[in-house]
Amino acid sequence: MTTKSAAAAARATVYGYPRQGQGRELKKAIEGYWKGRVTADALRAEAARLRRGHWQQLAGAGVHEVPTGDFSLYDHVLDTSVMVGVVPERHRDAVAADPLAGYFAMARGTQDVAPLEMTKWFDTNYHYLVPELGPDTAFTADSTKQVTELREALTLGLTARPVLVGPVTYLLLAKPAPGVFAGFDPLTLLDRLLPVYAEVLADLRAAGAEWVQLDEPALVQDRTPADLDAVADAYRKLGALSDRPKVLVASYFDRLGDALPVLAKAPVDGLAIDFTGPAAANLDALAAVGGLPGKRLVAGVVDGRNIWINDLSKSLSVLGTLLGLADQVDVSASCSLLHVPLDNTVERDIDPQILRWLAFARQKTSEIVTLAKGLAHGTDAITAELAANRADLASRAGSPITHDPAVRARAQAVTDAYARRSQPYAERAAAQRAHLGLPLLPTTTIGSFPQTGEIRAARADLRAGRIDTDGYEERIRAEIQDVISFQEKTGLDVLVHGEPERNDMVQYFAEQLTGYLATQHGWVQSYGTRYVRPPILAGDISRPEPMTVRWTTYAQSLTEKPVKGMLTGPVTMLAWSFVRDDQPLGDTARQVALALRDEVNDLEAAGTSVIQVDEPALRETLPLRATDRPAYLAWATEAFRLTTAGVRPDTQIHTHMCYAEFGDIVRAIDDLDADVISLEAARSHMQVARELAAHGYPREAGPGVYDIHSPRVPSAEEAAALLRTGLKAIPADRLWVNPDCGLKTRAWPETRASLENLVAGARTVRGELPLS
Ligand code: GLN
Ligand code: ZN
């Protein structure tokens, strides 16, 4: 490859790095501080040490420009709120008294004061703290954190680029503060916010920043013309500032669409653009607007949110095309590396033949550096890297793990009829009524019962070899006995075994399916100090043996009442795992669905008459762009139906989703064709029941009457009142009585009392029904 001389300076950079450290030192320090075991100074020192280590890791790997300000003790959106002076009224005293303690109070709440709301960062599994704004919000600049961290990096002799959440995205991520009318549009505050950003930019320049990155991922979502006008306005004003560093506007997670021409025209100095996955469309779009003459382009060609190695020669060809479209082309990951684990070389249990297919943050950094080198000096400069990469890619493509002929043939043979129940709902419902003999307003739970310290200790004992499998299973059986006998005593109608054997609703199944990998150290931040280890969908998926039948039938053997089988659905299995990038998501979903279908059928054959397939992630996996949603919902609902359609008409299929706002997927929920759906509703006073009714939802539903997110025990009268509200929308022969979600995070005392009240409330309302 011959490259233009302009590319000789191609640089490697990233937008952010995993925060926690290899041994999750940050988590330990922060939680130690919360418990009073670590002083504020010690926490700050540990954080600085970790930042230094990350920068040295990056620079040591050959990254030319390191990010600063991306590090956080809790969340970068909360850091932005602090930077612009947005502290809710209820936290002001705490923040004034002790900024660090006040910061954590905003994040986590205190005994008396509620935290900020937390929600998902776009379509990732990272959660940010939602800024609360209103017409009276006054912004004030506090650039301390950004300036301090920039100085730390500069002191190490590094070239550093502060990374900030951009002003438009910050406002679009916000919501009206408590007491502010719901229709308040935070974007109307833009003119007030921009001077604060101007001040921060000036401070960063004074501290030595040549470039500052402003992240605007909200621009990859569908935006109104008014939003885009606001973007144009914001960057016209920021661009016109005299005392500012060079500004790089970054977007990621999807294509820019209509925002691309707006940004391309803006008087900023560079754009960082995602060219991976659906964002690959940015390439043609960029050419169509005539490129970025006079600007710097940072090309996100390495997937920053998945764990597969890059196809280096493919990326080089994209970069080669981009060379003609901007003044300067640098190389990066598509987004911050926050969304992937730190380093795969510490994994001991993954087959080395598979490990070579994986790239975590450190490995991605090397890929970026290699690509920058190849771009700057031609492919001859990276011959060895390209050869190794080709071999690794070939190993993955040719592996029997990624291509199991039996799995593929089965998925290929799926027909529409195979994904449909044999009878329509009305007929099934009659058969189920006869088979199950349940009362009106049947009571049930969502599946899990309290995961007590003893259960977790038993699992830890098993892992550490202090007890053997028999000893562990003995404890699980004892727990199931307790759970069943409690439910019988309390008078619940459809029982559950309580899921004591499950560490996690996805991992438990992933561990038992062929084609799935688990990591030992692959931690990724979910929120604050909570980290998860998503399993990896690495190959074709099959189920060597039944996964849940033993525990479910054991529970059933203890009672005459029906025990509900409990499975995690295919969409949720994908949503909370790293997915394959070598085949369409729908193909992976179909494989998982077929494996789960076998489990559903085996449960039925073993005598289980009610089977619940949880899909709490159905909505969160919705693509960011509306045009992509119908295709997603088509494969997602097909996967659910494939999982569940193989049962007899008199076997009752339940599903569960734990959220209340599902307006945009209510049709998809209908398409699942589940006999019963349970949903979160307690806090919204049965709003979902009304929404389901408005949609003409024809099947049974259990809007939650017990808010399991709090230790508060609802009274029987409260449960009854919610049921009466529910009955206004859903007829008595289609209304179920259940909590909002599983009880695994609750303690036994409140669980006991709440479920007793729930059953009492159901009995009261049953007594009020007209005799038919
Ligand atoms: N069956 C699971 C439980 O009860 C469902 C959890 C969920 O919806 N997230 O814990
Ligand atoms: Zn739930």
Side-chain angles (χ1 to χ4, degrees):
M1 188 174 83
T2 50
T3 53
K4 292 199 296 184
S5 60
R11 287 170 293 189
T13 189
V14 300
Y15 314 157
Y17 207 58
R19 297 162 178 162
Q20 74 272 27
Q22 188 57 63
R24 287 193 295 159
E25 295 90 338
L26 183 63
K27 176 187 175 72
K28 286 170 198 156
I30 294 172
E31 291 179 352
Y33 168 79
W34 291 343
K35 293 188 180 124
R37 285 202 297 257
V38 172
T39 64
D41 282 345
L43 171 57
R44 287 196 195 96
E46 178 68 346
R49 190 186 66 82
L50 284 164
R51 286 194 291 269
R52 205 160 49 236
H54 301 160
W55 290 322
Q56 280 162 343
Q57 231 169 61
L58 288 168
V63 166
H64 300 99
E65 198 180 31
V66 301
T68 64
D70 62 301
F71 180 89
S72 182
L73 290 176
Y74 205 96
D75 164 45
H76 54 273
V77 180
L78 178 60
D79 296 336
T80 312
S81 288
V82 172
M83 181 185 90
V84 300
V86 173
V87 174
E89 183 67 51
R90 64 185 184 283
H91 293 292
R92 273 194 206 146
D93 290 347
V95 171
D98 178 345
L100 186 61
Y103 174 84
F104 288 125
M106 285 194 276
R108 310 168 67 220
T110 62
Q111 201 54 37
D112 315 306
V113 186
L116 293 171
E117 193 182 296
M118 192 165 69
T119 195
K120 271 169 157 287
W121 174 246
F122 300 91
D123 58 349
T124 72
N125 288 323
Y126 175 86
H127 300 73
Y128 72 92
L129 291 158
V130 182
E132 295 176 3
L133 304 177
D136 300 332
T137 299
F139 299 107
T140 51
D142 176 358
S143 55
T144 316
K145 175 178 182 294
Q146 282 288 347
V147 167
T148 306
E149 293 177 16
L150 171 65
R151 287 212 175 105
E152 286 172 2
L154 295 178
T155 308
L156 296 173
L158 303 172
T159 304
R161 185 182 71 251
V163 177
L164 282 66
V165 176
V168 177
T169 292
Y170 178 74
L171 293 175
L172 288 169
L173 292 175
K175 64 161 209 176
V180 171
F181 62 105
F184 172 72
D185 177 5
L187 205 52
T188 55
L189 300 175
L190 187 60
D191 275 339
R192 237 183 271 172
L193 180 60
L194 289 174
V196 168
Y197 269 80
E199 224 179 301
V200 173
L201 288 175
D203 289 349
L204 286 170
R205 178 179 148 98
E210 184 193 354
W211 284 87
V212 168
Q213 174 174 330
L214 294 175
D215 282 5
E216 295 286 9
L219 302 187
V220 308
Q221 294 170 307
D222 295 325
R223 300 267 65 118
T224 63
D227 294 345
L228 294 178
D229 285 347
V231 173
D233 189 43
Y235 285 97
R236 192 166 41 240
K237 287 179 177 148
L238 292 178
L241 295 170
S242 52
D243 180 24
R244 66 165 178 89
K246 292 181 191 152
V247 169
L248 177 74
V249 180
S251 65
Y252 35 81
F253 298 144
D254 212 323
R255 51 203 187 271
L256 275 164
D258 293 342
L260 181 59
V262 177
L263 288 180
K265 270 197 288 254
V268 296
D269 310 277
L271 299 185
I273 301 179
D274 183 351
F275 294 101
T276 65
N282 280 327
L283 186 57
D284 287 345
L286 192 59
V289 299
L292 303 173
K295 285 193 169 70
R296 173 186 186 188
L297 171 64
V298 178
V301 290
V302 169
D303 188 344
R305 50 190 297 194
N306 210 334
I307 42 64
W308 303 106
I309 53 169
N310 188 255
D311 184 334
L312 296 180
S313 54
K314 221 169 113 192
S315 295
L316 278 173
S317 108
V318 171
L319 291 167
T321 309
L322 292 172
L323 272 187
L325 293 174
D327 250 34
Q328 156 89 31
V329 178
D330 293 329
V331 186
S332 187
S334 60
C335 61
S336 167
L337 296 174
L338 177 69
H339 307 291
V340 291
L342 187 55
D343 185 359
N344 72 25
T345 60
V346 296
E347 295 298 332
R348 292 283 165 267
D349 294 348
I350 299 178
D351 177 347
Q353 281 314 309
I354 298 182
L355 204 55
R356 60 198 282 223
W357 311 342
L358 305 182
F360 294 178
R362 284 192 86 156
Q363 289 71 42
K364 285 180 188 290
T365 303
S366 303
E367 292 178 338
I368 292 164
V369 169
T370 300
L371 288 167
K373 195 162 150 199
L375 188 62
H377 306 295
T379 45
D380 287 352
I382 54 167
T383 319
E385 289 91 336
L386 285 173
N389 180 244
R390 260 194 306 276
D392 292 343
L393 290 170
S395 144
R396 183 176 172 208
S399 163
I401 294 165
T402 53
H403 290 83
D404 179 333
V407 172
R408 298 202 155 232
R410 191 174 174 208
Q412 204 86 64
V414 163
T415 58
D416 191 51
Y418 198 63
R420 301 269 168 205
R421 298 285 294 269
S422 60
Q423 291 185 12
Y425 168 72
E427 288 164 39
R428 291 182 337 237
Q432 290 161 20
R433 218 164 283 139
H435 182 53
L436 294 169
L438 297 172
L440 287 176
L441 308 182
T443 53
T444 191
T445 59
I446 306 305
S448 59
F449 267 72
Q451 280 266 340
T452 58
E454 293 87 77
I455 300 173
R456 280 197 296 270
R459 219 172 347 264
D461 285 347
L462 175 67
R463 261 199 314 272
R466 287 186 292 268
I467 55 173
D468 60 8
T469 309
D470 287 348
Y472 173 69
E473 295 191 343
E474 193 47 54
R475 296 198 199 173
I476 297 293
R477 265 194 298 276
E479 186 64 27
I480 292 175
Q481 286 167 20
D482 286 351
V483 167
I484 293 288
S485 92
F486 164 75
Q487 294 173 92
E488 285 211 308
K489 255 201 331 267
T490 307
L492 284 142
D493 300 306
V494 173
L495 312 194
V496 298
H497 78 288
E499 306 178 23
E501 78 287 9
R502 301 186 189 175
N503 37 8
D504 171 275
M505 65 185 285
V506 169
Q507 198 186 331
Y508 181 74
F509 292 95
E511 279 169 2
Q512 301 187 69
L513 290 167
T514 302
Y516 246 121
L517 293 182
T519 68
Q520 269 182 301
H521 305 284
W523 298 103
V524 177
Q525 189 175 11
S526 171
Y527 62 88
T529 58
R530 186 170 156 77
Y531 287 80
V532 295
R533 266 180 313 174
I536 300 170
L537 278 154
D540 284 348
I541 296 296
S542 58
R543 185 200 67 144
E545 300 171 27
M547 304 182 281
T548 64
V549 176
R550 211 159 52 95
W551 293 125
T552 309
T553 49
Y554 174 67
Q556 186 66 76
S557 75
L558 303 171
T559 177
E560 296 294 312
K561 297 252 180 97
V563 172
K564 183 157 67 162
M566 205 52 68
L567 303 173
T568 301
V571 181
T572 302
M573 291 296 294
L574 263 65
W576 297 346
S577 304
F578 287 115
V579 291
R580 289 177 74 162
D581 65 350
D582 59 348
Q583 64 183 20
L585 276 179
D587 291 6
T588 306
R590 188 178 270 200
Q591 293 181 357
V592 174
L594 289 170
L596 291 169
R597 178 185 179 103
D598 294 343
E599 186 71 14
V600 168
N601 294 349
D602 282 349
L603 279 169
E604 179 186 66
T608 309
S609 310
V610 183
I611 299 167
Q612 177 171 309
V613 177
D614 292 324
E615 283 293 20
L618 184 69
R619 180 168 173 274
E620 66 185 42
T621 320
L622 213 52
L624 294 175
R625 292 276 185 190
T627 48
D628 298 336
R629 290 181 190 163
Y632 158 74
L633 289 171
W635 67 250
T637 52
E638 186 213 60
F640 182 90
R641 281 185 280 105
L642 260 185
T643 303
T644 53
V647 295
R648 297 191 311 255
D650 61 355
T651 296
Q652 191 170 61
I653 296 293
H654 289 220
T655 190
H656 165 71
M657 292 168 200
C658 19
Y659 38 83
E661 312 84 30
F662 58 84
D664 31 359
I665 58 159
V666 68
R667 180 141 309 133
I669 289 180
D670 195 356
D671 274 348
L672 301 178
D673 198 24
D675 300 301
V676 183
I677 181 168
S678 59
L679 292 146
E680 179 174 313
R683 269 190 289 190
S684 63
H685 304 285
M686 306 305 250
Q687 174 64 19
V688 282
R690 289 186 287 277
E691 284 177 29
L692 284 175
H695 172 72
Y697 187 77
R699 292 176 291 277
E700 293 156 60
V705 294
Y706 160 23
D707 174 10
I708 58 88
H709 301 96
S710 115
R712 194 178 158 274
V713 175
S715 68
E717 195 33 58
E718 258 176 86
L722 286 173
L723 287 174
R724 290 184 199 108
T725 307
L727 279 171
K728 291 189 190 134
I730 301 174
D733 59 348
R734 291 204 270 114
L735 186 64
W736 283 67
V737 185
N738 47 258
D740 274 345
C741 191
L743 302 163
K744 60 178 165 247
T745 56
R746 294 270 60 91
W748 266 106
E750 76 247 21
T751 296
R752 245 181 240 117
S754 301
L755 291 179
E756 281 161 10
N757 291 349
L758 177 146
V759 170
R763 287 191 177 138
T764 305
V765 178
R766 269 177 212 154
E768 298 163 2
L769 295 174
L771 297 170
S772 51

